[in-house]
Amino acid sequence: MTTINVTTSNSAGVASSSGGGGQIAQLNQQIQKLTQKIKDLSQGGGDSDAAQKQVESIQQQILMLQEQIQQIQQQQAQKAEQKAEQAQIAANSTEDKSVNKPSPSGQIDIYV
């Protein structure tokens, strides 16, 4: 009997309002289905060379799906970071409009 090691990541908990969470959930479902196929192949017996090649192919598919999940998570993190930066800039721009503060060109308006 052939021993098969499979590792999967569970990233479904990371969801975003931008729709990436739905994509991640779908990818995780595909990973689960592929993992089940590997389990079935390992228990089914049959031609071990053909089964081993099929298992290796499925493992490559799982790795690609995991990479897609990581890319989506990175995109979500970048979007969140950009939103946070924009919020910070907006908060800072309202503070900088007070009297005797330098303008973007470096000039200071002094009111007497």
Side-chain angles (χ1 to χ4, degrees):
M1 180 176 224
T2 306
T3 303
I4 302 166
N5 295 325
V6 178
T7 57
T8 60
S9 65
N10 186 5
S11 304
V14 179
S16 169
S17 60
S18 66
Q23 289 176 325
I24 290 173
Q26 288 176 346
L27 293 172
N28 276 325
Q29 287 177 348
Q30 290 177 358
I31 289 173
Q32 289 174 348
K33 289 177 184 178
L34 291 171
T35 303
Q36 185 61 44
K37 281 185 181 180
I38 289 175
K39 289 178 185 177
D40 293 343
L41 285 171
S42 66
Q43 294 172 355
D47 186 10
S48 63
D49 288 339
Q52 184 64 28
K53 287 181 182 179
Q54 202 170 10
V55 165
E56 289 173 4
S57 173
I58 292 171
Q59 287 175 334
Q60 288 298 319
Q61 291 175 6
I62 290 172
L63 289 174
M64 288 190 301
L65 293 171
Q66 289 173 337
E67 288 174 5
Q68 288 178 357
I69 289 172
Q70 289 176 346
Q71 289 173 353
I72 292 169
Q73 289 173 335
Q74 288 174 349
Q75 289 172 353
Q76 289 175 343
Q78 288 173 349
K79 286 179 184 179
E81 187 176 325
Q82 287 175 352
K83 285 182 182 181
E85 287 175 1
Q86 289 173 352
Q88 184 64 33
I89 290 170
N92 289 342
S93 68
T94 57
E95 294 172 5
D96 289 342
K97 292 182 180 178
S98 62
V99 177
N100 295 338
K101 295 272 183 162
S103 68
S105 63
Q107 296 177 342
I108 299 177
D109 293 332
I110 300 176
Y111 300 96
V112 182

